[in-house]
């Protein structure tokens, strides 16, 4: 996949981290992470919401394969996706919050609109 960020991790570790972050975003509605991770999470979560809007068996299976908690996947289908039924993309907002104290990494908050 050209254009994806490697985030200093091997492919399996990177995918596991991103799956966890997307799951936490749908579970809590908002997470605080680094800017580059937030941009990757935004891309993946928007794709997950678009899939959930279809509400077919195939889309449920795709969501269950990616999201790590089954109750979060059902919440996405039942509660989150219907809110964006009349909206074509732009489901997340990234807000920069300045550098992290330890290593000065650019931090951001990603939230569902």
């Amino acid at each position: 996949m050209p254009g994806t960020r490697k985030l200093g991790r091997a492919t399996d570790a990177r995918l596991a981290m991103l799956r966890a972050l997307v799951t936490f975003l749908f579970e809590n509605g908002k997470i605080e992470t680094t800017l580059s991770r937030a941009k990757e999470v935004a891309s993946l979560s928007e794709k997950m919401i678009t899939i959930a809007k279809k509400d077919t068996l195939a889309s449920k299976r795709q969501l269950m394969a990616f999201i790590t908690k089954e109750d979060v996947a059902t919440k996405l289908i039942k509660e989150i996706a219907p809110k964006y039924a009349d909206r074509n993309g732009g489901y997340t907002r990234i807000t920069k919050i300045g550098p992290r104290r330890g290593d000065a990494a650019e931090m951001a908050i990603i939230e569902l609109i």
Side-chain angles (χ1 to χ4, degrees):
M1 291 189 286
T4 58
R5 293 166 181 82
K6 295 198 176 176
L7 303 172
R9 292 169 190 255
T11 304
D12 54 349
R14 180 174 62 249
L15 288 176
M17 178 192 64
L18 291 173
R19 285 177 64 193
L21 286 171
V22 169
T23 303
F24 295 145
L25 176 64
F26 290 137
E27 193 172 24
N28 302 321
K30 176 199 305 198
I31 54 174
E32 181 179 326
T33 184
T34 62
L35 183 61
S36 56
R37 286 181 187 176
K39 289 179 179 177
E40 281 297 304
V41 169
S43 170
L44 290 170
S45 60
E46 301 232 351
K47 288 173 185 159
M48 292 296 117
I49 292 172
T50 303
I51 291 169
K53 282 166 61 173
K54 294 176 193 160
D55 197 20
T56 61
L57 180 60
S59 65
K60 287 177 186 172
R61 286 180 176 165
Q62 280 183 304
L63 292 173
M64 295 287 186
F66 189 81
I67 294 175
T68 57
K69 296 181 182 176
E70 191 174 333
D71 58 330
V72 175
T74 55
K75 177 183 176 184
L76 175 59
I77 294 168
K78 299 269 193 275
E79 297 172 27
I80 298 172
K83 285 198 293 190
Y84 303 114
D86 57 341
R87 187 176 188 137
N88 296 323
Y91 313 122
T92 58
R93 175 188 300 132
I94 297 175
T95 309
K96 294 181 185 179
I97 56 172
R100 183 162 53 193
R101 185 178 166 99
D103 59 359
E106 186 68 34
M107 296 298 286
I109 293 175
I110 179 168
E111 58 190 333
L112 296 172
I113 297 176

